[in-house]
Amino acid sequence: MEVKINQVVLHLLDPGASEPVLSDRAMDMDADLYEYYTATLERAFASDEVKNCRFLPDSAFAAEMAQNQDFIDLSRRIAGVIFEQMLQYQAIPAGDLAVVDFTADGVPFYGVLKLNYRPGYTHHTEVSIRTNPNYPPATPPHTELMGNGRFSSMVPQRTLLPGTPKADEAALIDRANGTVRLIEKKFTLNDKKDFYLSTRVFGCTEALQEKAKLKAVCETAVAAVKEAYPEPEALDDVPPFDGGTETAVELLVRNQAVDNQISVEDVRERIRENFPLAAPRFEEALAETGVQENDRVTVTPARIKKLESRSFKTESGIEIRIPAELCSSDDAVEFIHSATGGLSLLIKDVLV
């Protein structure tokens, strides 16, 4: 993805003050700041915490964005609405709001990045002047200079910004088609945990997070296959051990990933090919989760890597991690069920 930043406007939103500190112009960008905001936007695009939303017909923000072509003024209005929410609901953390005018692969976007404050410490150095209290008094009174003393200490800071290029809350607004990639968190609003960005600021649909979609696809597929094939021995590629079905199905899902995205339709096709008896139940149950047939689920490389292996732990705390594709290979490992219901693991061709 090629990100090109046109301008960034930074507003300070601290509910401890009576008003937000709103900027009248875009910030000056050096190479370090440009790299920081570019990395922050790229990380937001790739996050599996993102939700793909659309503006609702009565979205006040969508109407404002369509009419207001003054980017600076629009950014100030966004900051003002968010600050009102922060004054009303104290659980929403203070932070700086960076509103970004940028393009991603040539498509125009607005980015709204909320950088919440972190408490921390910074160093502080002072120079003191010591005096001799026993010096004979005089008129006018004075003291004898004994020398300078320098000392350093630590001072608590309440408004430190994130050091890593990551926004705690973000909205990436595609100006070409009106879609919103939203990263939001729940805070206590009116005595219950709820979202405020999608409902009270942008007025857009509440969709599933990408990681929730992936979980729904995997869990629904596993449940459907287990229901259709209650005996693992009936499946050629699933070894008869606890967790075997999960390994086979999650590996099938992971193998559909292309450019950090998994096509739900591709997963459905693979289920039909590999587990035909489970396909009807999978499609029926998947529809109940809210995942659409034409969805493409964004998956971070780290989460894909988690699907590449399975972990087994003994009662004594010994943990063994095995690549998922080897779990179904009798040449590499063998899972042995005992008469008492226990499970033993035989690892073959160990090199010492």
Side-chain angles (χ1 to χ4, degrees):
M1 172 181 292
E2 182 181 1
V3 172
K4 180 182 178 181
I5 296 176
N6 299 318
Q7 52 186 330
V8 180
V9 184
L10 188 68
H11 306 292
L12 281 56
L13 308 182
D14 188 345
S18 58
E19 295 181 353
V21 180
L22 304 180
S23 297
D24 296 318
R25 67 177 183 88
M27 66 189 299
D28 297 326
M29 299 281 286
D30 59 16
D32 290 336
L33 280 175
Y34 192 93
E35 181 180 356
Y36 177 87
Y37 281 110
T38 299
T40 302
L41 291 168
E42 290 175 344
R43 190 165 182 172
F45 270 105
S47 173
D48 59 3
E49 295 182 0
V50 79
K51 300 190 292 187
N52 291 307
C53 306
R54 285 189 173 275
F55 290 118
L56 296 171
D58 59 349
S59 170
F61 173 82
E64 174 73 21
M65 187 178 67
Q67 298 171 5
N68 193 344
Q69 303 304 311
D70 185 336
F71 174 69
I72 303 297
D73 182 65
L74 180 63
S75 75
R76 290 168 61 93
R77 290 177 177 271
I78 297 171
V81 172
I82 293 178
F83 189 75
E84 289 176 0
Q85 296 298 314
M86 295 167 66
L87 288 178
Q88 185 173 356
Y89 304 109
Q90 297 182 356
I92 301 175
D96 287 358
L97 190 76
V99 186
V100 189
D101 174 11
F102 73 102
T103 60
D105 292 335
V107 178
F109 275 85
Y110 285 150
V112 181
L113 309 174
K114 188 159 179 283
L115 311 173
N116 294 337
Y117 298 146
R118 277 107 164 115
Y121 290 86
T122 186
H123 60 260
H124 175 72
T125 300
E126 293 184 10
V127 177
S128 63
I129 299 177
R130 296 181 298 162
T131 61
N132 184 356
N134 299 319
Y135 193 75
T139 303
H142 66 281
T143 55
E144 178 188 20
L145 184 64
M146 297 292 291
N148 295 334
R150 179 182 287 110
F151 69 95
S152 297
S153 61
M154 296 174 64
V155 179
Q157 296 289 317
R158 189 177 63 86
T159 58
L160 295 178
L161 292 172
T164 55
K166 179 183 179 181
D168 301 281
E169 306 165 67
L172 306 174
I173 304 162
D174 187 329
R175 296 165 59 194
N177 61 20
T179 59
V180 184
R181 295 176 64 84
L182 190 64
I183 299 174
E184 63 176 345
K185 300 180 184 300
K186 285 187 175 182
F187 299 103
T188 301
L189 314 176
N190 297 328
D191 299 324
K192 69 174 184 177
K193 292 276 189 178
D194 202 355
F195 297 115
Y196 75 98
L197 285 181
S198 58
T199 58
R200 292 172 167 83
V201 176
F202 296 110
C204 56
T205 57
E206 293 187 58
L208 286 173
Q209 291 180 326
E210 295 300 284
K211 63 180 179 181
K213 287 184 181 180
L214 177 63
K215 182 178 180 182
V217 171
C218 286
E219 290 185 350
T220 303
V222 169
V225 172
K226 280 188 171 183
E227 181 180 327
Y229 302 89
E231 298 297 330
E233 292 86 346
L235 300 175
D236 294 336
D237 298 328
V238 181
F241 69 94
D242 296 339
T245 303
E246 286 88 341
T247 299
V249 175
E250 290 179 4
L251 189 59
L252 178 149
V253 173
R254 186 211 69 184
N255 286 343
Q256 310 315 308
V258 178
D259 294 333
N260 292 344
Q261 287 196 330
I262 289 177
S263 165
V264 175
E265 178 56 33
D266 288 347
V267 174
R268 294 172 67 229
E269 286 294 330
R270 299 292 84 74
I271 292 291
R272 294 190 195 106
E273 293 174 3
N274 293 273
F275 311 108
L277 298 180
R281 177 55 186 156
F282 169 69
E283 296 176 8
E284 176 185 347
L286 189 64
E288 297 173 358
T289 68
V291 177
Q292 304 299 315
E293 295 180 2
N294 59 348
D295 273 348
R296 300 188 68 84
V297 184
T298 300
V299 191
T300 62
R303 194 165 296 276
I304 289 179
K305 191 173 183 63
K306 288 182 179 180
L307 296 176
E308 292 179 348
S309 63
R310 297 202 65 83
S311 179
F312 303 90
K313 183 180 291 187
T314 67
E315 291 183 357
S316 59
I318 299 174
E319 184 173 1
I320 300 173
R321 187 174 296 275
I322 301 174
E325 59 268 20
L326 295 182
C327 288
S328 59
S329 172
D330 291 337
D331 295 333
V333 295
E334 185 176 347
F335 296 87
I336 305 170
H337 287 271
S338 67
T340 58
L343 182 68
S344 297
L345 173 63
L346 174 63
I347 304 175
K348 302 178 180 180
D349 297 327
V350 177
L351 301 178
V352 295

